[in-house]
Amino acid sequence: MIMVAAALAGFGVTCILYRKTLLGLMIGLQLLILGATLGFVLAGVSAKSAVEGHIFGIFILAGSVGLLSVGLALSVRLFFLKGNTSMDELRSLRN
């Protein structure tokens, strides 16, 4: 099962590196967070303290939901301002 967690994290890193839109970046971050969460849950199960691993996983997922909601709001606002969700357009909002 730890290989599944590593594969999810690897897919997340690959998605972050190669996607050029904000939504692709958010999908990659979610995959990376899910892989890490699965790793923590599996570590808790293998240490015979499954409750702590599951509780830690729930807090990680709650934080990632907050991250996703802020990213989605930013993506919607960027689309209304610029017409697309390209990362280059996101960088142009600094000025």
Side-chain angles (χ1 to χ4, degrees):
M1 250 350 237
I2 196 73
M3 296 302 287
V4 174
L8 276 174
F11 289 145
V13 169
T14 304
C15 191
I16 289 171
L17 291 177
Y18 290 112
R19 295 293 175 170
K20 299 297 180 196
T21 62
L22 185 59
L23 294 176
L25 178 74
M26 296 305 296
I27 290 170
L29 279 173
Q30 285 298 313
L31 284 173
L32 185 62
I33 290 170
L34 282 174
T37 303
L38 185 59
F40 280 119
V41 169
L42 290 174
V45 168
S46 68
K48 304 291 189 255
S49 61
V51 175
E52 287 86 4
H54 285 83
I55 291 173
F56 199 65
I58 288 171
F59 281 117
I60 290 173
L61 288 178
S64 72
V65 166
L67 175 79
L68 185 63
S69 64
V70 169
L72 187 61
L74 182 64
S75 177
V76 167
R77 185 67 182 156
L78 180 66
F79 184 77
F80 282 134
L81 287 176
K82 301 290 184 174
N84 61 10
T85 58
S86 167
M87 291 301 290
D88 296 328
E89 295 293 333
L90 184 65
R91 289 185 187 104
S92 73
L93 292 176
R94 286 186 184 175
N95 298 334

